[in-house]
Amino acid sequence: LGDLSSSEDESELGSLGGGGEDEESKQDQDLDKELGLVDDGRRAARRKEKLALCKACQGQCMWQAVYDLVEVQERMIELRSELEMVRNIDPETKFVESSVAQSVLNGGSTRLARSDLLDELSAELTRLERKERLVLVDEELHRAYASNEAFMETKALHGYKQV
């Protein structure tokens, strides 16, 4: 066994430590890229938040909304507006032009019977309201399972706040 001086030990450790830090830094950058984080000063906090353990998921939080809530709500606003316009049209009018109805968006005729258009818009609005409620209830349920609190306030399930 050869004798190594302290300066040789330090130089070996320095080169090993430096390489390890570079490797660790590259892994951090890869992980940040995978998580979609950019370096804007708050990266570390958001990274910690993204990697935090979720009691409901028993690991990294994997919850995602079943439907895009923003898209659903935007479509609901569009449908309500069109529905109000059709309701305000003279009831004696038999046919109405619409570009909002789902059948029109799927390639159908833009000219529809007033009663059929009312039925179609109402039915789609009801479906979207159910999708919105599903997302909100699912999110509350996830937060309830992930919570460490003894009690939790919910609203989406019954439509009013309750503990």
Side-chain angles (χ1 to χ4, degrees):
L1 296 176
D3 251 353
L4 293 175
S5 68
S6 63
S7 64
E8 289 176 347
D9 288 339
E10 288 174 10
S11 66
E12 278 187 30
L13 289 176
S15 66
L16 292 176
E21 288 174 15
D22 290 340
E23 182 66 29
E24 188 175 311
S25 176
K26 180 159 176 29
Q27 289 174 346
D28 285 347
Q29 289 173 354
D30 292 343
L31 183 59
D32 289 345
K33 186 183 282 187
E34 183 180 318
L35 294 173
L37 301 176
V38 292
D39 190 7
D40 64 354
R42 294 177 287 172
R43 182 179 69 178
R46 287 186 299 173
R47 182 168 184 237
K48 183 178 178 183
E49 179 183 307
K50 289 239 184 192
L51 294 175
L53 296 179
C54 175
K55 277 181 57 179
C57 299
Q58 297 178 350
Q60 184 179 350
C61 187
M62 304 296 281
W63 186 86
Q64 291 182 355
V66 178
Y67 302 104
D68 184 6
L69 198 55
V70 173
E71 285 181 15
V72 168
Q73 290 172 339
E74 287 173 354
R75 180 69 178 155
M76 287 170 58
I77 290 169
E78 189 177 24
L79 288 171
R80 285 187 182 117
S81 173
E82 184 78 359
L83 199 53
E84 190 63 32
M85 186 195 72
V86 173
R87 285 182 180 147
N88 289 333
I89 292 176
D90 181 29
E92 297 298 318
T93 305
K94 299 284 185 203
F95 291 94
V96 179
E97 293 277 328
S98 174
S99 60
V100 176
Q102 189 64 46
S103 62
V104 174
L105 296 177
N106 289 339
S109 174
T110 58
R111 186 172 180 200
L112 299 152
R114 181 179 179 273
S115 60
D116 291 344
L117 181 58
L118 282 171
D119 291 344
E120 184 177 339
L121 294 174
S122 298
E124 185 180 356
L125 186 59
T126 301
R127 281 193 308 275
L128 290 175
E129 287 169 345
R130 288 181 180 165
K131 287 180 179 183
E132 178 185 40
R133 184 163 183 249
L134 174 66
V135 169
L136 296 174
V137 169
D138 186 38
E139 183 180 17
E140 275 189 2
L141 178 63
H142 183 81
R143 280 190 287 123
Y145 278 121
S147 175
N148 291 326
E149 303 297 319
F151 298 99
M152 183 182 159
E153 185 177 279
T154 63
K155 181 179 179 189
L157 188 59
H158 298 292
Y160 55 88
K161 291 182 180 180
Q162 63 182 6
V163 178

